[in-house]
Amino acid sequence: QGGDQALGNRCSTRRAATGSGRMGANDFQGLPPPEGNERKVLYTSKFRAIYTYKMGLAELDTQLHKVIADKRWEVKSDERVNMTGKLDVVNDGRVIHVSMEPCRNPMFSTVKYWVDM
């Protein structure tokens, strides 16, 4: 199953093929994904990454903010409602868009990182 199909398949646990080998599995443009329970990488490329977790949005939000603070990124804008939606984080002029959403099962959540091309 390709990465683009994984986008439409909300929280599939099957791993998709990854993109560029130059990027580490724990880093997207300098921002690592949050630590969490049963993190799975659904898709990575130079321009986006998709991860699923076996944890609710509140706990995942806490982990995301830890990563943002630890790596010295800052939240530029936060358009989320009840932790669902998009926020932008910045560091040294770089902007990464982050989206968080629950899966069909509320015990699972998805985080997507992407940059403008």
Side-chain angles (χ1 to χ4, degrees), residues 59-107:
E59 188 178 357
L60 185 56
D61 182 65
T62 300
Q63 294 297 321
L64 176 64
H65 281 282
K66 265 180 153 173
V67 169
I68 290 169
D70 289 350
K71 297 300 179 180
R72 297 204 167 113
W73 286 75
E74 67 180 67
V75 176
K76 178 180 176 183
S77 67
D78 190 345
E79 302 170 11
R80 299 176 302 158
V81 175
N82 295 328
M83 292 174 268
T84 300
K86 178 185 141 194
L87 66 142
D88 292 337
V89 296
V90 296
N91 180 310
D92 293 329
R94 294 177 293 168
V95 176
I96 294 180
H97 309 289
V98 180
S99 173
M100 294 176 53
E101 60 187 51
C103 296
R104 288 183 198 117
N105 179 336
M107 296 293 295

